[in-house]
Amino acid sequence: MAIGMSEIRNIGIVAHIDAGKTTTTERILFYAGMTHRLGNVDEGNTVTDWMVQERERGITITSAAITCAWRGRQINLIDTPGHVDFTIEVERALRVLDGAVGVFCAVGGVQPQSETVWRQANRHHVARIAFVNKMDRMGANFARVVAEMRGKLGANAVPVALPVGAAETYAGEIDLISMRQRRYLDAEGKTFEDGAVDAALADAAQAAHEALLEALAEVDDAFMEAYLEDPEQPAEAVRAAIRRAVVAQALVPVFCGSSLKNKGVQALLDGIVDFLPAPDERRAPTGTHAKTGEEGTVEMAPEAPLSALVFKIATDPYVGRLFFVRVYGGTLRKGQNVYNPRTRQRERIMKLLRVKSDEEEELEALGAGDIGAVVGLKGATTGDTLCAENRPYALMGIVAPEPVMFMAIEPKSTAEKDKLADALAQLAAEDPTCQVRTDAETGQKILCGMGELHLEILVDRLRREFNVTANTGKPMVSYCETVTATARRTYTFDREIAGKRHCATLTVEVSPLGRGAGREAAVAKTVEKRLPRPEVSAIIRDALLDAIATGVLARFPMTDVRAEVTDCVLSDDETATDVAFRSAAAMGFREAAQAAGPEFLEPIMSLDIVTPPEYVGDIMGDINGRRGQVRDMEMKGDLQDVRAQVPLAELFGYATAIRSLSRGRAGYTMEPGAFAVVPKAVKEQLLNR
C-alpha cells in the first residue's frame, strides 16, 4: 500500500565538515530501528559512509540516501558531504528535498561551509531546523551558536530546547514547548524520562519559553491572536504554529544535543516529523514544455501525469547504474515507459528500488513526493526529467560549479586505453563536477575536478572500482580567460573548399559581463532577419560558444563574456554556407576578443584558519607571502579565527605548511570564493609556460 504524501518527509543533513552530520544520521537510523548497533565514523562502520574512501578518511564524499520511519512517518534522509570539493552532492540533494537539518558544532559555531550550505538551501527555498551538536565538548556554547546563526546566516533562529549543562556537565535538554526536562537513563540514550525542570534552571527555561512564544507571535498571525488573548498557550498550539512558521521559512527552531553521547537526537527526530514540511506542503515546481517552450506547473498528486527528476547517478557493483529520482507528480511504476524531454526519447523502467545506503529493496511503484532509484535507463543524466509523453514538461535542472583544478591522466599501457576512457566516462556521468577533456595540441586526456582531494578520490576510484591503473600528472589550477573592454571586429571568410566557394562576412562584438555571469552568445534580431535560413542563427551561436570555450590567450575557457553578431554581409545564398557562417563567427570572435583586453582569471579561495593566538603573526605573514589578504579576525573562546582570501595556485601543500607554522595546533578549511584577474607577473608566467 502506497504511503500518502502527508506522511513523507524528504530531508537532508547539511553542515560544515566535522560538525557531526554522519554521526547524527547514524543515531537517527539507530533510534528509528534501521540499525541495531551504533555506527562510529572513527571506527569506519557507519551505514551512510559506505565507500572505502569514506571509511578510510573519516569523511563523507558522496550523498547517501536512506529511508527510515518515525512515529508512522516515512523519512527519506540524505546525508551530504561537508567538504567543499564535494559541494555538488549538497547542491543536487537540496534541489529535491523539502526540508533540511543544519548541524552546527557547539564549539565551532557557524563555520564557512555552514554558510555555503545555508545559502544553497536559501536558493532552493528549503525549510530548515537546526541542531547544535557536540554539547559535551569543552568550550561548547549554545547561546553563542544561536547568536551566530542570526548574525552570520540571517536566520530567525529560536531555541525550542535548552541544554542542561555543557561540556563534561552536559546531561540532557529541556523541551521549551512542553516545559519538561529529559533525563537519560542509559548510555545508548534509548531510555529516558521526562520530568519537571530542575529548580536551578526554572527561571532560564521560563525566559526561553516566553522568547519562543514571542518569536512565534511575530511570524504567525493566527498564533498572535491566540497569544494576545491568553499568553499560556497549550503545547499542541505552539507546535502547530512552529510548523506553519517553518513551512513558510519564517522560523528556524534550534535543538541541542550530543550525537556521539546519544543525547538530543530523539527530540530532533520528533522535530523532523512535527515541523519539516511534507511534499504536498511545498510550492508546486514549474516546468518548460519540451515542444512549445511554455511554462507549466506540475500537479503534485499520485493520479496526475508523471513528473520526476533524476538528481543523482551511482554505480552499484551488483545492480549496475542506479538513477536516483524524486517523483513530484504521478506514479512511477516498474516496467513503465517514460519520456525524457532532453533526449526526446522513451525509456523503460526495468526496476524500482528503495535505497538503504548500500542495500536495496525492490518496489512495484514510487508515488508522488517519494524518492527512490531506477534501474534500466540508457540516455539519462543528472538533472534530466522523466515524464509522461503527452505532457513533456522539463523541470529545472541541476547547475554544477565549474572545476577549478585539473591534471593529465593516461593509461599505463595501450591495452588499458579503452578501459580508462570507459571508466572516466562513468565517473563523469556520476559526478557533474568531474569533467574529462582532450587537449587539442597534445592529445592528452585531462581530468578536471573541484580540488586536490576530489582529484585524488577520482584516481583512487579508478584503481579500486574500475581496476584501471593510470599515470597522472601534477594537479594544476584551472585558470579562465575573460575580457576587460568592449571591442567589435568584422571578419570575412571567403574560401574554396572541395571545389565550392564558401563566403560570409560577420561583425562580432565582444563585451565583459559581471563576475560569475558565465557565457552568452547572441545574434542581433536585425541580423536574424537577413540570414538565408532560420537554422543559421543557431549555427552562429554554437560557433561563438565553441570559440568562447577555447579562449584566445592560452586555450583556457573564457567566462564572464558576451559575444553578439551585430551585422552581416552576404554575397549570395549559394556561397553563404553553414561552414562560412561558422568560420566567420569563430574567427570574428577571436579577433574581437584579442582587441577587448583579454586577461587570465584565477580562482580565489576563502580560507578559514582556527589557531592558538600565539601563531597568528606567523600565519598572517605566510598568507601575505601567498598573495593572500586577511579579511576578518575573531576570537572564538581561546582560539583565534582568521578569515582570508588566497589564490588557489598558492595553496598547494598548505596542510603541511600550516602544521609546521603552528606545531600541528592550527586547522583550516577553504571554499571557492570568486575569480579574480591575475597579476601581471603571473600572466607572463602563464603565457610563457
Side-chain angles (χ1 to χ4, degrees):
M1 180 178 170
I3 194 165
M5 289 178 74
S6 61
E7 297 172 310
I8 295 174
R9 300 291 183 272
N10 295 316
I11 69 156
I13 309 290
V14 297
H16 183 87
I17 190 169
D18 204 32
K21 298 179 301 302
T22 301
T23 304
T24 302
T25 303
E26 288 296 317
R27 299 310 183 263
I28 287 174
L29 298 179
F30 178 74
Y31 295 131
M34 282 296 301
T35 58
H36 302 290
R37 57 164 175 75
L38 290 168
N40 190 297
V41 172
D42 294 333
E43 294 173 10
N45 59 0
T46 59
V47 174
T48 52
D49 282 354
W50 55 273
M51 289 173 63
V52 176
Q53 294 86 352
E54 292 177 314
R55 292 183 171 178
E56 285 180 350
R57 289 168 172 81
I59 61 170
T60 301
I61 292 170
T62 180
S63 53
I66 193 162
T67 300
C68 61
W70 184 255
R71 284 173 37 199
R73 305 291 193 278
Q74 176 182 302
I75 300 174
N76 296 322
L77 186 152
I78 298 181
D79 174 28
T80 64
H83 199 286
V84 64
D85 283 17
F86 312 107
T87 187
I88 183 61
E89 296 290 341
V90 184
E91 181 72 22
R92 58 185 173 186
L94 289 174
R95 168 67 182 82
V96 298
L97 294 174
D98 304 313
V101 178
V103 179
F104 298 88
C105 174
V107 181
V110 175
Q111 297 166 287
Q113 194 66 10
S114 308
E115 296 180 49
T116 301
V117 297
W118 204 264
R119 288 195 299 269
Q120 287 175 295
N122 285 340
R123 193 165 61 249
H124 291 293
H125 307 291
V126 175
R128 275 146 286 173
I129 62 178
F131 180 64
V132 178
N133 191 25
K134 304 190 179 184
M135 283 301 305
D136 60 309
R137 280 188 55 189
M138 185 68 69
N141 189 324
F142 180 73
R144 176 174 57 79
V145 178
V146 174
E148 285 187 8
M149 289 179 65
R150 292 173 182 152
K152 293 183 178 180
L153 304 178
N156 186 17
V158 180
V160 293
L162 206 62
V164 177
E168 67 275 2
T169 64
Y170 177 65
E173 69 274 356
I174 298 169
D175 182 350
L176 296 177
I177 300 172
S178 64
M179 291 301 286
R180 304 280 286 171
Q181 182 172 331
R182 179 159 293 183
R183 298 171 178 85
Y184 294 91
L185 305 178
D186 65 2
E188 291 185 343
K190 292 181 78 172
T191 56
F192 53 84
E193 62 178 15
D194 293 337
V197 178
D198 289 344
L201 302 171
D203 290 346
Q206 185 60 35
H209 173 72
E210 290 171 4
L212 169 62
L213 299 186
E214 288 170 8
L216 273 175
E218 288 177 7
V219 297
D220 189 90
D221 292 341
F223 185 79
M224 177 185 276
E225 289 180 17
Y227 179 68
L228 291 174
E229 288 181 15
D230 179 11
E232 290 301 319
Q233 288 294 302
E236 294 75 18
V238 175
R239 286 194 178 90
I242 293 175
R243 180 176 185 80
R244 291 194 298 270
V246 171
V247 171
Q249 295 167 48
L251 189 83
V252 178
V254 185
F255 294 82
C256 62
S258 169
S259 298
L260 190 63
K261 296 296 175 67
N262 315 310
K263 293 181 174 68
V265 179
Q266 295 196 27
L268 176 65
L269 265 168
D270 287 335
I272 289 169
V273 168
D274 289 339
F275 305 141
L276 288 178
D280 55 359
E281 292 177 295
R282 293 287 308 281
R283 185 175 59 190
T286 57
T288 305
H289 198 285
K291 295 172 184 174
T292 65
E294 294 179 4
E295 271 206 1
T297 302
V298 171
E299 187 184 343
M300 295 171 64
E303 63 278 1
L306 177 68
S307 182
L309 184 77
V310 178
F311 68 93
K312 179 179 168 66
I313 301 172
T315 302
D316 185 281
Y318 305 106
V319 180
R321 295 185 82 188
L322 295 175
F323 297 81
F324 287 79
V325 296
R326 159 73 192 262
V327 181
Y328 285 95
T331 302
L332 196 59
R333 302 183 189 281
K334 182 179 175 181
Q336 179 181 357
N337 286 324
V338 297
Y339 182 73
N340 185 333
R342 181 184 63 82
T343 61
R344 308 210 169 193
Q345 299 290 322
R346 291 192 198 95
E347 299 260 24
R348 187 171 179 81
I349 306 299
M350 305 303 293
K351 278 185 183 179
L352 278 175
L353 302 173
R354 171 87 64 212
V355 179
K356 299 174 181 176
S357 188
D358 56 347
E359 298 177 5
E360 296 92 17
E361 168 197 349
E362 278 207 48
L363 301 174
E364 290 300 315
L366 205 61
D370 214 343
I371 288 177
V374 170
V375 177
L377 302 182
K378 304 293 184 189
T381 189
T382 301
D384 278 0
T385 300
L386 305 178
C387 59
E389 195 166 357
N390 61 353
R391 191 174 163 79
Y393 279 90
L395 298 165
M396 181 186 77
I398 295 168
V399 180
E402 286 291 319
V404 296
M405 201 168 277
F406 69 91
M407 67 182 180
I409 185 166
E410 59 184 28
K412 285 204 169 180
S413 65
T414 310
E416 288 197 307
K417 184 178 178 181
D418 291 341
K419 198 175 175 184
L420 175 64
D422 290 343
L424 288 173
Q426 284 198 54
L427 288 176
E430 289 182 25
D431 182 356
T433 57
C434 165
Q435 295 181 11
V436 182
R437 57 184 173 85
T438 303
D439 189 286
E441 288 190 8
T442 65
Q444 273 187 315
K445 281 214 177 298
I446 306 295
L447 180 63
C448 307
M450 296 303 295
E452 284 183 277
L453 179 61
H454 189 202
L455 292 176
E456 182 187 329
I457 295 294
L458 290 172
V459 172
D460 194 45
R461 289 188 63 194
L462 283 173
R463 179 173 61 85
R464 297 196 193 201
E465 291 179 33
F466 300 96
N467 297 315
V468 176
T469 52
N471 295 321
T472 57
K474 180 182 175 184
M476 301 177 73
V477 173
S478 185
Y479 292 92
C480 290
E481 297 177 23
T482 192
V483 295
T484 56
T486 298
R488 183 180 293 184
R489 290 293 184 270
T490 300
Y491 186 88
T492 300
F493 182 85
D494 191 349
R495 301 254 181 97
E496 189 173 299
I497 303 173
K500 182 177 180 182
R501 187 181 174 209
H502 303 264
C503 182
T505 299
L506 297 178
T507 299
V508 181
E509 182 180 276
V510 174
S511 56
L513 296 173
R515 289 288 168 265
R519 307 159 186 165
E520 292 182 11
V523 179
K525 292 194 180 297
T526 53
V527 175
E528 284 187 331
K529 293 176 183 176
R530 290 154 55 193
L531 294 174
R533 299 176 300 284
E535 65 270 18
V536 171
S537 181
I539 289 169
I540 292 173
R541 277 193 292 271
D542 287 344
L544 291 174
L545 289 172
D546 288 344
I548 292 172
T550 54
V552 295
L553 289 174
R555 303 193 320 278
F556 292 117
M558 301 193 82
T559 188
D560 304 337
V561 172
R562 175 180 169 80
E564 182 178 18
V565 172
T566 58
D567 196 10
C568 70
V569 178
L570 311 176
S571 53
D572 58 67
D573 287 354
E574 194 170 316
T575 59
T577 62
D578 293 352
V579 171
F581 284 114
R582 183 179 293 277
S583 302
M587 298 308 295
F589 169 82
R590 289 189 66 81
E591 290 192 358
Q594 289 280 12
E599 293 286 355
F600 290 108
L601 292 175
E602 64 178 344
I604 306 295
M605 307 301 285
S606 294
L607 197 63
D608 187 272
I609 304 162
V610 178
T611 176
E614 58 263 34
Y615 303 112
V616 169
D618 291 339
I619 286 172
M620 289 178 66
D622 183 67
I623 288 170
N624 292 332
R626 295 173 184 271
R627 298 194 284 120
Q629 291 181 319
V630 175
R631 296 294 189 190
D632 187 29
M633 293 177 64
E634 177 187 357
M635 286 299 295
K636 284 192 173 181
D638 57 352
L639 295 174
Q640 184 81 50
D641 188 358
V642 180
R643 295 193 178 199
Q645 289 190 310
V646 185
L648 176 60
E650 305 292 338
L651 288 172
F652 286 94
Y654 190 64
T656 304
I658 198 169
R659 279 198 296 269
S660 175
L661 288 168
S662 65
R663 298 183 183 179
R665 295 177 64 193
Y668 79 97
T669 56
M670 64 179 177
E671 62 176 331
F675 276 82
V677 174
V678 303
K680 186 177 180 181
V682 177
K683 180 179 180 180
E684 289 175 359
Q685 289 175 10
L686 292 172
L687 289 172
N688 294 327
R689 76 181 187 182

